[in-house]
Amino acid sequence: MVDQARARKIASRIREIIAADLGQIVKDPDLGFVTITDVRVTGDLQDASVFYTVYGDDDQRVTSSEILQRNVGKLRSHVGGRLGIRLTPTLELIPDGLPESASHLDDVLRKARERDAQLAAAASGASYAAGEDPYKRPAEDDEADARD
């Protein structure tokens, strides 16, 4: 039976452990500014997917990815010592696609703002086709009936 709450707690704890101690475990000056964005643990608590981002250019991302892959055993040992459960999950380090999707969203939002500005500029000189208020009001109907 899978305990999803326990898996979420362990995933959260793994994220905290790796994020707090990454610089102490991986003692490599070429390691870039790495942020642990998410950790997902399988229901049987055997495997953990660790998602991370690296601040910097593509060369920095590649270098940091290689360094992290070389040190995945150290990370797993450290997590196992600090986690306090019988079996330590295997760690799979996955670069997070967050920066790419965020830049795509920025482009979409920029285009939407430009389109909104164009529509606002076009609407500023526009006038109503049937006058300000083309609908009859009940009070006007009563006055028209009274005049007849």
Side-chain angles (χ1 to χ4, degrees), residues 127-131:
S127 62
Y128 295 104

Side-chain angles (χ1 to χ4, degrees), residues 29 37 112:
T37 56

Side-chain angles (χ1 to χ4, degrees), residues 18 27 32 42 49 51 53 56 75-76 79 87 95-96 104 106 117 126:
I18 292 176
K27 296 178 181 177
T42 58
S49 299
F51 296 91
T53 60
L75 289 169
R76 183 172 183 230
V79 167
L87 296 174
D96 200 353
H104 171 69
D106 286 341

Side-chain angles (χ1 to χ4, degrees), residues 5 13 19 21 25 32-33 39 42 47 53 57 59 68 70 77 79 82 94 98 116 131 134 138 144:
R13 184 71 180 130
D21 300 333
I25 300 165
F33 185 71
V39 176
T42 58
D47 300 309
T53 60
D57 58 356
D59 293 335
L68 288 173
R70 281 195 311 255
S77 293
V79 167
R82 299 276 312 269
I94 303 170
L98 184 68
D116 286 346

Side-chain angles (χ1 to χ4, degrees), residues 71-118:
N71 291 293
V72 73
K74 288 181 183 178
L75 289 169
R76 183 172 183 230
S77 293
H78 183 74
V79 167
R82 299 276 312 269
L83 205 54
I85 60 176
R86 187 171 62 93
L87 296 174
T88 303
T90 59
L91 300 179
E92 179 184 8
L93 300 172
I94 303 170
D96 200 353
L98 184 68
E100 290 80 20
S101 45
S103 65
H104 171 69
L105 287 176
D106 286 341
D107 291 341
V108 170
L109 289 173
R110 181 185 46 78
K111 288 177 185 176
R113 279 190 217 106
E114 290 172 358
R115 182 69 180 141
D116 286 346
Q118 290 172 352

